[in-house]
Amino acid sequence: MVEMVMKFSLICFSFSMLGLVYRLIKGPTVPDRVVALDAIGINLVAIIAILSMLLRTNEFLDVILLMGILAFIGTIGFAKFLEKGEIIEYDRHR
Amino acid sequence: MKTNDVILQTASKVVFFIIILFAIHLFFAGHYHPGGGFVGGLMTSGAIVLLLLAYDIKTVSQGFPIDYKILIGIGLFLAAGTAVAAVFFNVPLLTHAFGYFDLPLFGKTSLHTAMLFDTGVYLVVIGVTMTIIQTIGESE
């Protein structure tokens, strides 16, 4: 029963990722695409969590935290590039 | 227009320590669980990259006055040192040793010389990643 629920939720997450991929390809502006990528990362976190429950292992829990941190840093990098034009500046008071 | 990113700077000040703790956990878990020097080093440099994004290269290099190219040298020296040290005990190159020790806080702990090798990998990964990113960031 629990396994069936988890498989069903995996299918639901795949459909939501399909919708996000549509926004990623179609998105008229760049910020739309960045937000779609961030949400795809968070969806991946959820999929990894459900998969690790299905496989009955807790060795993937580090991957979950890793994905969260990488999505955060990547989104901030994109946001800073869109706002200031450069990602890492040498002196921000100049 | 002068931009004001107070939220980003405050958030990254807090998140930095979480990422560093996670990197240290990955590094020490490497012997029995997924993780190790490579992922730990990448995560540590990811934390420093987050500070670089929130601030700039000048401020971060004041906070961490480290020449990352020297870090590569120290890491390679550690890795090569553990490899060569085995020769002095009449065993082949890169032979590792381990033993159980009674540490004051941890109790009975197994210490392995593969840890020193992993520390070398950790330092080299931090050094290479930060050298690449800083060199790209500095060029106009």
Side-chain angles (χ1 to χ4, degrees):
Chain A
M1 179 64 197
V2 178
E3 207 157 293
M4 221 180 70
V5 171
M6 284 193 279
K7 277 175 185 165
F8 177 71
S9 58
L10 267 186
I11 294 171
C12 290
F13 275 118
S14 342
F15 275 114
S16 85
M17 263 180 104
L18 270 181
L20 286 167
V21 168
Y22 170 76
R23 183 47 65 201
L24 185 67
I25 296 169
K26 182 87 179 180
T29 60
V30 184
D32 283 331
R33 296 193 166 103
V34 174
V35 172
L37 263 182
D38 193 44
I40 283 177
I42 303 303
N43 259 8
L44 263 180
V45 167
I47 286 178
I48 294 168
I50 293 173
L51 263 184
S52 73
M53 282 168 77
L54 274 177
L55 298 173
R56 294 182 187 284
T57 172
N58 50 15
E59 305 290 348
F60 291 137
L61 297 186
D62 285 339
V63 182
I64 293 173
L65 194 49
L66 203 75
M67 282 297 302
I69 292 170
L70 286 185
F72 178 64
I73 294 178
T75 310
I76 286 181
F78 262 120
K80 194 164 175 194
F81 177 71
L82 290 176
E83 191 185 326
K84 294 190 178 172
E86 57 179 342
I87 298 178
I88 296 172
E89 17 185 13
Y90 181 67
D91 188 0
R92 84 196 127 96
H93 297 300
R94 205 169 42 185
Chain B
M1 190 186 79
K2 190 147 176 62
T3 53
N4 188 3
D5 27 49
V6 171
I7 297 175
L8 172 62
Q9 288 172 358
T10 313
S12 59
K13 265 182 213 161
V14 179
V15 171
F16 173 75
F17 289 103
I18 301 173
I19 302 178
I20 284 283
L21 274 178
F22 179 54
I24 292 172
H25 160 74
L26 275 179
F27 173 63
F28 280 109
H31 204 89
Y32 295 109
H33 296 287
F38 187 74
V39 192
L42 276 183
M43 219 57 263
T44 312
S45 49
I48 304 174
V49 164
L50 181 65
L51 280 190
L52 280 179
L53 286 172
Y55 295 91
D56 49 70
I57 292 180
K58 222 174 171 181
T59 316
V60 174
S61 63
Q62 277 171 5
F64 301 103
I66 307 165
D67 189 359
Y68 293 105
K69 293 187 278 302
I70 294 175
L71 217 58
I72 302 176
I74 296 172
L76 284 178
F77 179 78
L78 263 178
T82 44
V84 173
V87 175
F88 295 109
F89 294 98
N90 286 325
V91 283
L93 198 74
L94 272 170
T95 306
H96 288 286
F98 71 98
Y100 291 95
F101 299 96
D102 276 320
L103 295 182
L105 203 59
F106 299 101
K108 189 183 174 196
T109 317
S110 76
L111 295 179
H112 204 292
T113 50
M115 190 74 209
L116 292 173
F117 191 82
D118 224 21
T119 313
V121 175
Y122 180 77
L123 292 180
V124 169
V125 169
I126 294 178
V128 169
T129 326
M130 292 316 295
T131 309
I132 291 173
I133 291 172
Q134 284 199 346
T135 321
I136 293 173
E138 271 172 1
S139 62
E140 291 293 314

